[in-house]
Amino acid sequence: MSVPAAPEARAATLLRRPRLWLVPTLLSGLLALLLSLLYMGGIVNPDADLRDLPIALVNDDTGKPPAGQRENLGSQIVAAIASDTAGGRADWRLLTRAGAQDQLDSGKVYGALVVPAGFTDSVAALSTPRAAQRPTITVLTNPGKGSLGSSLAGQITTRAAHEASRAVGRQLTASAGDRSDPTAGLLLADPVEVVTRVGHPIGPRSGLGLTAFYYTLLLVLAGFMGGNVISNAVDTALGYADNEIGPWHTRRPTVPINRTQTLLLKMVMTAGITLVSTALVLLACVGVLGMDASHLPLLWVYSYCAALAVGLGVQAINAAFGGLGQLVSMFVFIVLGLPSSGATIPLQAVPGFYRFLSHFEPMRQLSDGVRAILYFDARGDAGLARSWVMIAIGTVLALVFGFAMTAYYDRKGHKRLTPQPA
């Protein structure tokens, strides 16, 4: 005797069930709220959040002090600027010209303010017939640190230079008294010309210093999406997940395999497939689009190791959390990583919470290395050495965490075997 088939449910009936709405509504609303707070919280007011932006301060002036003063004007200006941190926004670093250039070339400062040689003499000449040109103070930018970071440093240094010019002008006006004519008086009130130059140039096809960020994002996405694609494909091939494409649905025979061996399979496949994906990323960015990049062999090796670390982390998280793994890894590698990367907005210009995340969030560690290779001649002290260390630590943590969790599940008898549908 045949059993009558159960009547099919209808959407109109199911929509009247409150419990069907509860979990999707709560999760969707919570995700929307968290994403809004995390992303906008990091960029909404960088100028107000700016603290201790490192800027070099150089005094090359070797002129004799003016009459009745102990120091030349260059020393006076540098001392006055260094004592004023612009409300805590600037971290002035007193350096020689060579030291400032080295820190510009290694990305340790966002810009520099240079009082040139002969500054005192050129200022003194303004009140004599020997005046040939206005004295200058030079502002050096560092576009390799990103357009916003370089711009913030430029604003601070330019403002400091103009304030120094007005201070010098007050001295000149006081010493000139009533002897100067009105035209000369205007010149003496603001005598110094502020000249802006690029302190460490980057290539014209560097996206104004943003290619490092976007290239890093590509590596993270390659590891994240590749890891999830591989995980789903393996589960489908081994019969632990359905394969549904449009109206077609298949389920392969279930292969008996424990969790540890499944994770090993996924990680080995991740290591192999990532070779292809990172090579294609490099080919597209450099070969097709013409992105400025040097040290290409190093860039490819670094790209592979970076994307592989992310991919292995994804596999470990998926193995530990199951169906929630993709959501957890999205928060770890992307949601929390983007605003704390320091690649678009300097970490000195984001709230403290994001500076805390930057110490361990993967995207910040990877972007420092990419920036060093693309813009700063692959110098280790430009962030590349630390990036290699953090990639190694991240890889070890992924392996230890992933295999520790699957070994625990296997010992507890939490098998993945499910009956194959008829």
Side-chain angles (χ1 to χ4, degrees):
M1 183 176 179
S2 61
V3 179
E8 290 186 351
R10 299 188 64 82
T13 303
L14 297 175
L15 287 172
R16 290 194 290 268
R17 296 183 181 181
R19 293 179 61 183
L20 184 66
W21 290 80
L22 182 61
V23 173
T25 302
L26 289 177
L27 286 179
S28 299
L30 181 60
L31 286 174
L33 177 63
L34 287 176
L35 288 174
S36 301
L37 293 175
L38 288 170
Y39 283 155
M40 296 303 294
I43 67 168
V44 70
N45 197 355
D47 193 65
D49 291 322
L50 184 60
R51 295 290 182 275
D52 300 325
L53 191 71
I55 304 172
L57 185 57
V58 179
N59 177 28
D60 276 345
D61 186 15
T62 56
K64 294 181 179 180
Q69 300 184 29
R70 295 182 179 181
E71 297 180 320
N72 62 26
L73 292 179
S75 298
Q76 294 178 39
I77 287 173
V78 165
I81 293 175
S83 64
D84 180 10
T85 60
R89 300 167 75 235
D91 174 21
W92 296 107
R93 299 183 178 182
L94 297 176
L95 300 169
T96 64
R97 183 68 180 86
Q101 189 61 54
D102 182 71
Q103 295 216 359
L104 287 167
D105 293 341
S106 60
K108 294 179 180 177
V109 293
Y110 284 81
L113 184 62
V114 180
V115 180
F119 181 78
T120 298
D121 296 336
S122 62
V123 170
L126 287 176
S127 57
T128 69
R130 296 183 291 107
Q133 60 182 8
R134 294 177 66 187
T136 62
I137 292 179
T138 304
V139 170
L140 299 178
T141 62
N142 195 355
K145 294 293 287 181
S147 56
L148 179 59
S150 182
S151 174
L152 289 171
Q155 293 174 20
I156 294 173
T157 50
T158 300
R159 187 179 300 116
H162 283 299
E163 290 176 357
S165 175
R166 289 189 287 271
V168 171
R170 288 191 291 270
Q171 291 187 28
L172 293 175
T173 302
S175 62
D178 297 330
R179 292 172 295 168
S180 62
D181 58 66
T183 302
L186 290 174
L187 173 62
L188 295 181
D190 189 9
V192 180
E193 180 182 4
V194 180
V195 178
T196 300
R197 296 174 182 162
V198 177
H200 177 81
I202 58 177
R205 301 183 69 86
S206 298
L208 300 177
L210 289 176
T211 52
F213 165 69
Y214 283 101
Y215 189 84
T216 302
L217 181 59
L218 287 172
L219 297 181
V220 172
L221 289 175
F224 172 77
M225 294 189 300
N228 282 310
V229 168
I230 293 168
S231 180
N232 293 333
V234 169
D235 286 343
T236 300
L238 298 182
Y240 292 91
D242 293 345
N243 182 29
E244 188 172 2
I245 301 176
W248 297 281
H249 170 269
T250 58
R251 179 78 176 270
R252 293 180 177 272
T254 303
V255 177
I257 184 173
N258 64 26
R259 292 175 181 268
T260 300
Q261 289 298 310
T262 302
L263 178 60
L264 177 61
L265 173 62
K266 292 178 179 179
M267 285 191 166
V268 171
M269 291 182 64
T270 299
I273 294 173
T274 302
L275 286 167
V276 178
S277 59
T278 51
L280 292 174
V281 168
L282 189 61
L283 174 64
C285 293
V286 179
V288 177
L289 300 177
M291 180 184 77
D292 284 324
S294 56
H295 308 283
L296 288 180
L298 174 62
L299 181 60
W300 181 80
V301 173
Y302 180 87
S303 301
Y304 171 71
C305 294
L308 177 60
V310 174
L312 296 180
V314 168
Q315 301 297 5
I317 291 172
N318 287 347
F321 293 95
L324 286 177
Q326 293 187 16
L327 189 60
V328 173
S329 60
M330 183 184 73
F331 266 85
V332 170
F333 293 109
I334 298 177
V335 174
L336 296 177
L338 283 171
S340 62
S341 66
T344 54
I345 298 178
L347 292 173
Q348 293 83 1
V350 297
F353 172 68
Y354 299 95
R355 289 195 289 272
F356 167 74
L357 288 178
S358 71
H359 292 296
F360 52 85
E361 263 298 316
M363 192 172 291
R364 187 276 171 104
Q365 324 309 326
L366 302 185
S367 66
D368 282 354
V370 171
R371 188 184 298 278
I373 295 173
L374 293 182
Y375 305 149
F376 299 114
D377 199 30
R379 290 179 52 161
D381 60 349
L384 183 57
R386 183 178 183 277
S387 292
W388 278 121
V389 172
M390 297 304 289
I391 287 174
I393 292 174
T395 301
V396 171
L397 287 177
L399 294 172
V400 171
F401 175 68
F403 285 112
M405 293 303 296
T406 55
Y408 171 77
Y409 293 154
D410 286 337
R411 285 198 308 271
K412 290 294 184 178
H414 299 304
K415 300 183 181 297
R416 301 184 70 203
L417 290 174
T418 55
Q420 180 180 356

